[in-house]
Amino acid sequence: MTAKPVHHGFRMPAEWTPHERTWMAWPSPNPTFTTEQELAEAREAWGAVARAVRRYEPVTLVVGPGDAENARAIAGAGDGHPLDLVERPLDDAWMRDIGPTFVTDDTGELAAVDWTFNGWGAQEWARWEHDSKIARHVSDVLGTRTFSTPLVNEGGAIHVDGEGTVLLTDTVQLGKGRNPDWTREQVEAEIHAHLGTTKAIWLPYGLAGDYGTYGTQGHVDIVAAFARPGVVMVHSQPDPSHPDHERCRTIAAILRAATDAAGRRLEVVEIPAPTVLEEDGEWVDYSYINHYLCNDGVVLCSFDDPRDEEAAEIFRGLFPERTVTLVDARTIFAGGGGIHCITQQQPKV
């Protein structure tokens, strides 16, 4: 039997533990950004997130060949922690999903989990020839041990509390485009073996808008996320005309009825969705849940919406020792994700 990370004492730390740095990837021409204007807008949006993260910790940016100068000019502008560049061929720019999931052990060793990546369930528009190798490239740059797995999974499809609990969704890990021949029990066993978790809480689906053209088919990091052990934030859609109204009520009820790996009944904190319901005739999945925790900071999605400040106040209450920085995420959401989706933490060891 091939040794798994858990056999070597590795586990995935919670996102709120100290980071060494944040990894991101720089947008390049692809089916997600089809025109020069869309690509330029994406780079400005990714750059704004990189600059916000650099207020709190260093950023390493994977850039495609020839893109280093553009990336440094935008993402490296202003003051803050250093920006480092690593040049590798890229297909897309969602580092949470194409990069490694980092795990650590009690001796201070860092290792990388390399999930099988197939373009979010082999979607027709997606390309992944290069992106499927990015986790290994990052691991090689760092010189860390790498644990590869045949399980098709992405970093945005998991969320851990650092104490043994992981959130998953039926339509991702058990989706027909990812792991059609795996049972729920097999998926759980493989997840636990690579993350060091012992309890999986399954949600039936993600947000309605996440099943559109560029959607992930239900990533958990847009609908629910741990704030600390025993406390989970969940997206809430107050408007009954939006399909997420009922979805979110169901998800919140599941989480309220659940216990974590330590046997605690979860405390659920509902985060109201922005007021906008549609964009270009499609339901939006704008969500404040898709935030990113940095060292001493929270980088929070904003949408030029009346609820932006309401969400910021909730996050200030949940993370009183951290500074909340709002970054406009509408361009990122138009491409299929949010701030959490384009960042990946490297834990400090």
Side-chain angles (χ1 to χ4, degrees):
M1 182 180 69
T2 303
K4 311 286 188 181
V6 69
H7 301 142
H8 296 275
F10 287 102
R11 64 179 181 83
M12 181 182 178
E15 193 170 309
W16 51 78
T17 60
H19 300 175
E20 181 68 32
R21 65 181 57 251
T22 293
W23 287 80
M24 297 180 64
W26 195 240
S28 53
N30 61 39
T32 310
F33 316 116
T34 56
T35 68
E36 289 187 12
Q37 180 179 345
E38 287 180 349
L39 179 60
E41 290 173 350
R43 286 175 167 176
E44 288 295 336
W46 263 247
V49 172
R51 295 192 302 272
V53 174
R54 286 178 49 236
R55 298 181 188 180
Y56 306 104
E57 61 192 66
V59 171
T60 298
L61 195 58
V62 179
V63 302
D67 286 340
E69 183 177 351
N70 172 265
R72 188 172 295 283
I74 299 174
D79 298 327
H81 289 269
L83 175 75
D84 297 317
L85 304 182
V86 173
E87 189 171 292
R88 294 290 188 279
L90 285 165
D91 296 306
D92 218 317
W94 307 94
M95 183 54 84
R96 176 70 49 177
D97 298 338
I98 65 177
T101 295
F102 290 107
V103 292
T104 61
D105 68 6
D106 291 336
T107 70
E109 184 179 351
L110 180 74
V113 175
D114 179 12
W115 310 105
T116 294
F117 179 74
N118 74 344
W120 303 278
Q123 297 196 54
E124 290 183 3
W125 57 268
R127 303 182 315 201
W128 58 91
E129 174 189 358
H130 302 304
D131 283 357
S132 62
K133 302 179 178 71
I134 292 299
R136 175 68 68 168
H137 287 321
V138 170
S139 178
D140 289 346
V141 167
L142 294 172
T144 61
R145 193 183 331 189
T146 305
F147 295 92
S148 297
T149 167
L151 184 74
V152 178
N153 187 49
E154 302 93 35
I158 54 176
H159 209 281
V160 301
D161 67 352
E163 295 189 358
T165 316
V166 60
L167 302 177
L168 307 171
T169 48
D170 290 349
T171 56
V172 175
Q173 285 86 7
L174 297 177
K176 62 181 180 179
R178 288 180 171 93
N179 304 294
D181 300 325
W182 292 60
T183 66
R184 184 183 299 269
E185 291 72 26
Q186 288 172 324
V187 168
E188 283 194 21
E190 192 74 354
I191 291 281
H192 293 332
H194 284 79
L195 301 183
T197 48
T198 58
K199 172 71 178 286
I201 299 174
W202 289 86
L203 305 180
Y205 34 60
L207 300 184
D210 198 21
Y211 296 84
T213 303
Y214 296 126
T216 70
Q217 313 305 304
H219 270 191
V220 74
D221 69 350
I222 202 169
V223 66
F226 288 107
R228 56 183 177 271
V231 180
V232 63
M233 299 173 284
V234 64
H235 183 76
S236 173
Q237 175 51 260
D239 195 309
S241 69
H242 195 295
D244 284 337
H245 179 70
E246 286 302 322
R247 281 174 177 254
C248 293
R249 290 181 63 180
T250 298
I251 290 168
I254 291 170
L255 291 170
R256 285 194 174 94
T259 54
D260 63 14
R264 290 172 292 223
R265 182 64 62 91
L266 293 177
E267 176 189 344
V268 174
V269 178
E270 296 192 23
I271 313 289
T275 59
V276 63
L277 301 178
E278 296 182 58
E279 189 70 37
D280 296 329
E282 295 186 359
W283 297 114
V284 298
D285 55 359
Y286 290 171
S287 171
Y288 300 109
I289 298 296
N290 201 266
H291 65 287
Y292 181 56
L293 297 179
C294 308
N295 293 336
D296 301 321
V298 181
V299 182
L300 183 63
C301 297
S302 68
F303 305 94
D304 190 25
D305 192 273
R307 290 206 179 108
D308 287 352
E309 186 53 36
E310 180 182 345
E313 276 302 304
I314 295 174
F315 274 83
R316 291 183 187 111
L318 288 168
F319 303 101
E321 303 304 317
R322 296 174 184 264
T323 302
V324 175
T325 300
L326 290 159
V327 179
D328 193 321
R330 287 173 292 179
T331 296
I332 305 173
F333 270 80
I339 288 174
H340 195 254
C341 306
I342 67 173
T343 52
Q344 178 62 274
Q345 69 272 11
Q346 178 186 331
K348 183 180 286 291
V349 293

